[in-house]
Amino acid sequence: QKEVEQNSGPLSVPEGAIASLNCTYSDRGSQSFFWYRQYSGKSPELIMSIYSNGDKEDGRFTAQLNKASQYVSLLIRDSQPSDSATYLCAVSDAGGTSYGKLTFGQGTILTVHP
Amino acid sequence: EAGVAQSPRYKIIEKRQSVAFWCNPISGHATLYWYQQILGQGPKLLIQFQNNGVVDDSQLPKDRFSAERLKGVDSTLKIQPAKLEDSAVYLCASSYSRREKLFFGSGTQLSVL
């Protein structure tokens, strides 16, 4: 059974701080990794994808992947109240043939307070 | 570009009743997924279609759940009979191909009483 575990929340950070979200996965053969943001009552929205070891930056977001440690993280710099949401870590099937065939973590609730 | 359309938005039924959800993916998207999201959990894949064929339904409780995608466009997901534990949001998602970004619909929130 493939598992994706995220750090327990909720996570509360002040506006302007760095929010750090972590995720581990059990299937060593997994090849594609995603972070989704989900506002309350809304559907998940893809914010970052990463496929190789190292860092990937997009604006205020940085995704980090370490396949040896089976670890994925998301850093949000200069956090804003609008970043308050549930963040879902997702891992695609080990064959890497389908980016939509995802195993999700349970999510981490992030609250950014002014 | 129109997004993934789902209906109804909300549905309340009693246990042992049947229910059906409808999804219309983004035009041209060949791959369609149904996910179940129970409150406080991440989405769980139920079934994946490629055009009108099933690619993976290993996590679909086939004794009560069924899904089809006639003509490779719209899809319906049915539950018969419903159980209390089926209360969840049912998300439909689509992508242009298996290796493209996933787009989610707004979901159908099901409450089984």
Side-chain angles (χ1 to χ4, degrees):
Chain A
Q1 180 77 5
K2 302 172 192 175
E3 292 185 353
V4 177
E5 295 288 337
Q6 295 185 235
N7 54 322
S8 59
L11 178 65
S12 180
V13 301
E15 184 174 357
I18 296 175
S20 177
L21 304 162
N22 304 314
C23 171
T24 59
Y25 58 95
S26 64
D27 190 343
R28 184 170 290 278
S30 299
Q31 298 184 17
S32 305
F33 308 86
F34 306 89
W35 283 99
Y36 282 80
R37 177 176 62 198
Q38 187 172 30
Y39 292 113
S40 181
K42 302 296 185 182
S43 58
E45 171 193 14
L46 180 66
I47 54 172
M48 289 289 286
S49 58
I50 187 165
Y51 310 107
S52 55
N53 282 330
D55 295 358
K56 179 181 177 182
E57 186 175 317
D58 184 1
R60 296 185 296 111
F61 298 97
T62 299
Q64 300 173 316
L65 174 62
N66 184 326
K67 290 186 178 180
S69 300
Q70 296 176 241
Y71 175 87
V72 191
S73 68
L74 179 70
L75 299 177
I76 306 175
R77 292 181 302 280
D78 189 23
S79 296
Q80 301 296 310
S82 58
D83 295 326
S84 298
T86 296
Y87 288 81
L88 298 161
C89 174
V91 177
S92 76
D93 67 307
T97 61
S98 179
Y99 290 169
K101 188 177 172 182
L102 300 171
T103 300
F104 283 86
Q106 76 274 27
T108 299
I109 299 173
L110 172 66
T111 301
V112 181
H113 53 87
Chain B
E1 177 182 74
V4 177
Q6 288 189 247
S7 67
R9 186 71 179 90
Y10 303 94
K11 190 72 176 179
I12 301 173
I13 62 172
E14 295 188 350
K15 59 183 179 182
R16 291 188 290 274
Q17 287 187 322
S18 63
V19 65
F21 313 126
W22 173 82
C23 172
N24 181 239
I26 294 173
S27 179
H29 281 197
T31 314
L32 185 147
Y33 308 82
W34 283 100
Y35 280 85
Q36 177 195 57
Q37 187 173 21
I38 294 172
L39 185 66
Q41 299 181 19
K44 172 189 169 185
L45 179 66
L46 293 176
I47 189 167
Q48 175 188 356
F49 291 94
Q50 181 69 21
N51 295 309
N52 61 348
V54 176
V55 175
D56 185 352
D57 63 356
S58 58
Q59 298 190 89
L60 188 73
K62 299 181 187 63
D63 58 333
R64 299 184 299 105
F65 286 64
S66 64
E68 60 182 9
R69 190 183 183 196
L70 299 176
K71 301 181 181 178
V73 183
D74 293 9
S75 177
T76 56
L77 176 69
K78 298 179 181 178
I79 307 175
Q80 182 179 13
K83 292 185 175 181
L84 297 177
E85 59 260 36
D86 298 331
S87 295
V89 175
Y90 290 83
L91 295 162
C92 179
S94 70
S95 61
Y96 181 74
S97 70
R98 294 188 196 187
R99 295 182 70 82
E100 294 292 329
K101 174 182 174 180
L102 204 61
F103 292 84
F104 281 91
S106 54
T108 295
Q109 184 172 329
L110 173 67
S111 297
V112 182
L113 306 178

